């Protein structure tokens, strides 16, 4: 495990009850987010990425149940905080950037006012707050920032709105920034710019980032640690170079099948498709969850779940081949 983590997820399992069925959306998740590090989470649709994030934010749907495990943030168990304490963590210490920036911006309040409002804890004069807002907007590349303070979110393009959401995060100075597919709705050029802003933000504020994406190239570019999820489990995780150049799990291998150097450069946003279906999370088969789609499966894979094995420092895989 990594040293000095800001967030530690231990043995986390989450279920949803839906129409008399129990959907086992996350099972035995172990994950550390190092201080100042950027962790990328990848995996097919439905593998549990958003459930993982919402567990950290404690914003899971009411039909969810935390079956086991704990999430420790800066030495406090998030599951033990009161709702009030958790609200304060959400606003101040952990921020989120959503796929649709309109989710985090209020449509009826000017952008300038919103950037001032997020500084409510700070007792400095409004002029100072306003200047901070202008600086943050300029930093993320909004031209003519001062004049645009009075504009409303809808008066900006999608890419600009995502930058405003990042500017807001810059002002909030969170310890951990969680981004759920923040660039999926943007074209390739804008995406590159947004990733650059995120890198810059991280360099300045030294926050940690948990980044969810379907775009492997972006993960390779932005993250220093990669987590590969499949059907509610982490199948492989490790430092980005290790994972892209020395990938072990057959599922992760399929994802990265093409030349890793090409993935890094590729503007292709489509997530690679792998033949076969995800297992039914309401009726999980025994053995390894990937065995029905795996080209290397053997007898044991159908009867025994693989345990996590460390293959090199910080790089671990759950597969009977190792
Ligand atoms: N409130 C809920 N009730 C029942 N099932 C749910 C609920 N929320 C999520 N699920 C199920 O849990 C599984 C994981 O969903 P999740 O949204 O975490 O996937 P994801 O990896 O974020 O997918 P995507 O890439 O499409 O965003 C899916 O099978 C989903 O249908
Ligand atoms: Mg999701």
């Amino acid at each position: 495990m990594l040293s000095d983590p800001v967030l530690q997820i231990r043995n986390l399992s989450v279920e949803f009850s839906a129409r008399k069925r129990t959907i086992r959306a996350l099972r035995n998740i172990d994950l550390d987010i190092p201080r100042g590090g950027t962790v990328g989470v990848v995996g097919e649709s439905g593998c549990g990425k958003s459930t993982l994030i919402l567990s950290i934010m404690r914003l899971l749907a009411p039909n969810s149940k935390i079956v086991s495990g704990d999430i420790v943030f800066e030495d406090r168990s998030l599951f033990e905080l009161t709702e009030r304490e958790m609200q304060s963590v959400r606003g101040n210490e952990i921020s989120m950037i959503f796929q649709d920036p309109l989710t985090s911006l209020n449509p009826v309040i000017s952008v300038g006012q919103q950037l001032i409002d997020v500084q409510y804890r700070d007792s400095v004069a409004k002029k100072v707050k306003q200047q901070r807002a202008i600086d943050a907007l300029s930093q993320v590349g909004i031209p003519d920032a001062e004049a645009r303070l009075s504009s409303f979110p809808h008066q900006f393009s999608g890419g600009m709105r995502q930058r405003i959401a990042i500017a807001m995060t810059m002002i909030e100075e969170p310890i951990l920034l969680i981004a759920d597919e923040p660039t999926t709705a943007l074209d390739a050029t804008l995406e590159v710019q947004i990733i650059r802003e995120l890198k810059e933000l991280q360099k300045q504020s030294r926050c940690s980032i948990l980044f969810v994406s379907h775009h492997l190239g972006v993960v390779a570019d932005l993250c220093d640690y990669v987590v590969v999820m499949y059907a509610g489990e982490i199948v492989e995780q490790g430092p980005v170079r290790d994972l892209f150049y020395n990938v072990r799990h057959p599922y992760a291998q399929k994802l990265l099948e093409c030349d890793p150097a090409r993935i890094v450069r590729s503007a292709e946003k489509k997530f690679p498709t792998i033949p076969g279906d995800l297992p039914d999370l309401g009726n999980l088969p025994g053995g390894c969850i990937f065995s029905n789609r795996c080209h290397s499966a053997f007898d044991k894979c159908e009867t025994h779940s693989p345990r996590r094995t460390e293959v090199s420092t910080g790089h671990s895989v759950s597969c009977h081949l190792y």
Side-chain angles (χ1 to χ4, degrees):
M1 285 276 107
L2 298 149
S3 58
D4 190 25
V6 285
L7 189 95
Q8 291 175 289
I9 302 178
R10 287 290 170 271
N11 195 35
L12 179 69
S13 298
V14 176
E15 291 176 356
F16 295 105
S17 46
R19 285 191 237 105
K20 293 191 185 155
R21 274 160 46 93
T22 302
I23 310 292
R24 300 178 60 202
L26 289 183
R27 299 178 309 282
N28 310 109
I29 300 291
D30 281 316
L31 172 64
D32 281 8
I33 301 179
R35 195 169 302 280
T38 304
V39 176
V41 179
V42 298
E44 282 165 289
S45 181
C47 72
K49 304 181 296 295
S50 296
T51 305
L52 179 67
I53 285 175
L54 295 173
S55 308
I56 301 172
M57 300 299 279
R58 263 183 45 187
L59 292 173
L60 283 168
N63 65 333
S64 66
K65 185 175 157 200
I66 308 271
V67 185
S68 73
D70 199 3
I71 301 183
V72 176
F73 174 67
E74 295 287 42
D75 301 324
R76 284 166 298 170
S77 162
L78 290 182
F79 296 159
E80 281 167 18
L81 300 185
T82 62
E83 185 48 36
R84 216 191 149 89
E85 288 166 333
M86 193 60 214
Q87 268 171 16
S88 154
V89 168
R90 273 183 219 123
N92 308 329
E93 296 164 86
I94 307 181
S95 306
M96 248 191 105
I97 297 181
F98 298 89
Q99 179 171 347
D100 177 1
L102 288 179
T103 314
S104 35
L105 298 172
N106 188 327
V108 298
I109 300 178
S110 72
V111 161
Q113 190 59 48
Q114 293 188 56
L115 289 171
I116 290 169
D117 288 346
V118 295
Q119 306 174 55
Y120 68 94
R121 274 165 288 126
D122 211 329
S123 55
V124 295
K126 189 173 169 198
K127 259 203 127 50
V128 178
K129 294 184 181 177
Q130 183 158 332
Q131 191 55 48
R132 271 188 206 148
I134 296 168
D135 293 345
L137 286 178
S138 313
Q139 253 175 47
V140 296
I142 305 280
D144 225 353
E146 186 162 6
R148 303 227 58 184
L149 286 181
S150 54
S151 302
F152 291 87
H154 71 268
Q155 294 170 307
F156 293 88
S157 68
M160 292 277 184
R161 286 198 286 257
Q162 198 57 292
R163 285 161 187 232
I164 294 167
I166 294 175
M168 198 171 274
T169 316
M170 277 180 171
I171 290 177
E172 285 171 340
E173 294 185 323
I175 296 169
L176 173 63
L177 169 65
I178 300 181
D180 194 358
E181 311 235 16
T183 57
T184 313
L186 306 175
D187 66 45
T189 329
L190 271 176
E191 176 167 57
V192 170
Q193 289 170 8
I194 295 289
I195 295 302
R196 210 176 288 150
E197 307 303 352
L198 280 174
K199 277 183 161 171
E200 189 55 34
L201 162 71
Q202 201 209 14
K203 214 165 81 193
Q204 281 179 24
S205 71
R206 311 189 59 77
C207 64
S208 304
I209 299 182
L210 178 62
F211 185 83
V212 169
S213 182
H214 274 117
H215 190 178
L216 297 175
V218 166
V219 170
D221 182 24
L222 178 72
C223 302
D224 28 55
Y225 199 82
V226 183
V227 173
V228 181
M229 289 187 69
Y230 180 76
E233 294 178 15
I234 292 177
V235 293
E236 182 161 0
Q237 56 178 311
V240 69
R241 280 195 67 85
D242 255 22
L243 216 114
F244 277 84
Y245 290 97
N246 205 1
V247 59
R248 305 298 180 103
H249 196 281
Y251 173 69
Q253 277 172 1
K254 284 269 182 214
L255 287 186
L256 310 180
E257 200 141 63
C258 26
D259 169 19
R262 215 185 76 208
I263 290 175
V264 175
R265 284 195 309 268
S266 160
E268 177 70 60
K269 281 201 194 178
K270 237 180 76 203
F271 203 62
T273 45
I274 297 167
D277 293 318
L278 278 169
D280 178 3
L281 298 180
N283 184 20
L284 285 174
C288 169
I289 36 150
F290 189 58
S291 60
N292 65 326
R293 292 167 87 182
C294 182
H295 58 276
S296 315
F298 54 102
D299 303 349
K300 194 179 177 186
C301 305
E302 272 152 43
T303 50
H304 293 76
S305 302
R307 271 204 291 207
R308 194 169 115 181
T309 313
E310 185 144 54
V311 285
S312 59
T313 313
H315 183 179
S316 64
V317 60
S318 300
C319 174
H320 287 308
L321 293 173
Y322 306 98

